[in-house]
Each structure stands twice: as C-alpha cells, then as structure tokens.
Amino acid sequence: MLAASTVDISSILNRILDTAADNLRIAKILVQIGLDPNNITYEALFNRLLEIFLANITLANMFAVIGAIFFVATLLMQTMVPLRIANMCGATFLAAFGALSGNVGTLALYLLSLPINAIRLRQMLKLIKKARTATQGDMSMEWLKPFMTERKYRKGDVLFKKGDAANEMLLTVTGKFLVKEINVELPPGRLMGELGFLTPNNRRTGTIECLEDAQVLTITYERLLEIYFQNPQFGYYFLVLTSQRLLENIARLEGIVAQQKAAEQTAKGDLA
C-alpha cells in the first residue's frame, strides 16, 4: 500500500514537472504571445510587445500602474508620515483600478486600507504638532492618549515600589497618588514612571501609592520606542517632559536642603 502511494505521488510530481517544462518552453511562450518561433526577429518581437502594450492602455490599467508606483515608493521611505500619504495615494489609485476592472476583492481591500491609513496619519500629525510646540511650554499629554490603555486602582493600592523593574509609563486621569520617598501628591494629569524609561536598567525611582480610587492610562516602554522611531520629534518632546520633572525634583531637593540649613543655623543661634 505504501509503495503504491509512493509511486502515485512520484508519477504526479513527474507529470507536474513535465507540464511545467512544456509550458515554459520558449517556443510555446512565443506562440502564446503571437510570434512564429521559426521566424523570430528583434523587430518582430518589439512590434508584438508594442502591440500588447498599446492594447492594454486603459484607464483601469493606468490607475493600476500609478498605484503600483506609489506602493513601491512606500518601501523606500524612512519616515511614517510620507509613507502613510504615499500609501493612501496608492490605495486610492488601486481601488479605482478595482472598480473599473470589476475586481471586487481589489476594490474592497484598498478601500478598507484608506480609513486605517487616514486615522494613523492624523495621529502622527497630532504627535508632530505637539512635539513642535514642546519648546513653547505646552506640557499637555492629550496627544498620547490614543496610544494608551485604561487601568483602575483602589485606595491603598501600591502601583510600584522603588527599585522594581519598570516597563510602562502611567498618566493620572482621576484620583490622587503619593510618591512616598519625597511625600509628594500627584494630581490628575501628571506622568508617573517616565523616569524608569530613561534609567540604564529600567528600574523604578520611587514608590507610588494610590490615595483614593483612581483611573490611569498606561503605555509600555516598547510602544514609546515605536513612537519615537516612527517620529523622532517625539524624542525631543519626551525629553522636555522628563527634564521638567527632573528640574522640579532638583528644586524640591534644594528647598529641603535650604530648610535644613536654616534649621541648623537657628539651632546654633539658640545654643549660642
């Protein structure tokens, strides 16, 4: 039984190879395109190819060629915004080709890709706009929300502790949180965990506790990296945000040191 099945498979493969070899013979290909294999010249070949080309110059095929050019252009682009624009142009022409040629599958495929590319392009443009306004002091994080996911905490929950492995950044939406090491409350609209993204070993730099039922938005460091590589302007914007936090921490520490020095001087004056 096994030998019979082996013979059958072998014979089938041989037939397939023989048929493929026969179909790929140059003489048969020349006959298929309307040329005489026994009387072939460069002029005859050129004229026949020209006839085929002219016969296929239709509006649908022109749209297909233009769409293909835009598609190839997307493979050569290094930044996301031009890539999305070229992709939308290519999808438009290829959808027109599908409509004119009656190819429903092609029409549906590229029509569906248009709104997806449009939404992503809009998100990227908003991201770039926010990045460019970062130098003017706009510290809003609204632009990042479409890339984040919602999470809820209850009063007393510890989000993370100092020294824990860090893999995401959080944005407070409602409720209050306490940075225990420096006894600072974080109101809605503040970032948490962004410094762990910049530390060499991705470790938490503080302990965060939830003071009341709250809601946050989270984004992983991997997603942040994706956004950075898609739009390098985001890198500058993020550095501005984290630099502001570092400067606030430095100012807070300087205030604490100044208070301690003032207390020490006051104590020395009382002893004197």
Side-chain angles (χ1 to χ4, degrees):
M1 226 19 217
L2 180 60
S5 62
T6 303
V7 172
D8 290 340
I9 294 175
S10 177
S11 62
I12 291 172
L13 289 176
N14 288 332
R15 289 180 60 186
I16 292 173
L17 292 174
D18 292 340
T19 303
D22 182 63
N23 289 333
L24 293 175
R25 284 189 300 113
I26 295 178
K28 190 168 185 177
I29 294 174
L30 292 174
V31 171
Q32 289 175 347
I33 63 176
L35 293 172
D36 183 5
N38 300 319
N39 186 22
I40 182 68
T41 63
Y42 286 112
E43 183 179 359
L45 179 60
F46 175 78
N47 290 333
R48 182 54 185 159
L49 293 177
L50 181 61
E51 289 176 5
I52 295 173
F53 174 76
L54 294 175
N56 286 279
I57 295 180
T58 63
L59 185 60
N61 288 338
M62 289 178 62
F63 282 150
V65 171
I66 297 173
I69 292 173
F70 275 109
F71 176 77
V72 173
T74 62
L75 303 177
L76 303 176
M77 293 178 180
Q78 298 180 351
T79 54
M80 288 301 296
V81 171
L83 186 150
R84 293 290 182 186
I85 294 174
N87 207 326
M88 291 176 64
C89 293
T92 301
F93 283 106
L94 290 171
F97 161 73
L100 293 174
S101 63
N103 192 325
V104 179
T106 300
L107 175 63
L109 173 64
Y110 291 105
L111 279 182
L112 288 174
S113 70
L114 277 172
I116 296 174
N117 280 288
I119 292 172
R120 291 302 185 190
L121 176 62
R122 184 172 180 271
Q123 290 176 342
M124 291 298 104
L125 291 176
K126 289 177 66 176
L127 187 65
I128 292 173
K129 182 179 178 181
K130 289 296 182 179
R132 288 175 177 171
T133 57
T135 55
Q136 302 174 4
D138 182 7
M139 294 294 108
S140 171
M141 293 296 292
E142 292 294 325
W143 57 273
L144 197 56
K145 288 183 178 180
F147 302 94
M148 307 181 83
T149 55
E150 180 182 340
R151 187 181 298 164
K152 294 182 179 180
Y153 289 98
R154 294 186 177 276
K155 180 179 179 180
D157 288 346
V158 176
L159 281 65
F160 48 80
K161 297 180 180 179
K162 183 176 180 179
D164 287 350
N167 59 6
E168 63 182 5
M169 182 179 74
L170 302 90
L171 175 66
T172 60
V173 178
T174 60
K176 294 181 180 180
F177 299 86
L178 176 68
V179 185
K180 300 189 71 173
E181 284 76 10
I182 56 178
N183 196 33
V184 172
E185 291 187 7
L186 301 178
R190 293 294 299 272
L191 283 179
M192 299 185 296
E194 77 282 7
L195 295 182
F197 179 63
L198 301 177
T199 57
N201 54 357
N202 292 126
R203 294 287 174 179
R204 296 299 185 190
T205 59
T207 302
I208 303 292
E209 181 182 346
C210 186
L211 297 179
E212 58 187 37
D213 291 352
Q215 176 187 352
V216 302
L217 294 175
T218 68
I219 183 170
T220 64
Y221 291 163
E222 290 183 359
R223 188 71 179 104
L224 284 177
L225 283 175
E226 289 177 7
I227 297 174
Y228 169 77
F229 286 116
Q230 290 174 357
N231 288 272
Q233 296 94 331
F234 164 73
Y236 179 78
Y237 186 43
F238 186 78
L239 285 176
V240 171
L241 292 171
T242 53
S243 297
Q244 183 190 43
R245 175 64 62 85
L246 289 172
L247 292 173
E248 289 176 355
N249 291 341
I250 291 172
R252 188 179 296 111
L253 290 174
E254 289 177 345
I256 294 174
V257 171
Q259 291 177 358
Q260 290 178 347
K261 288 183 177 180
E264 290 176 357
Q265 291 178 354
T266 301
K268 290 180 180 179
D270 293 340
L271 291 175

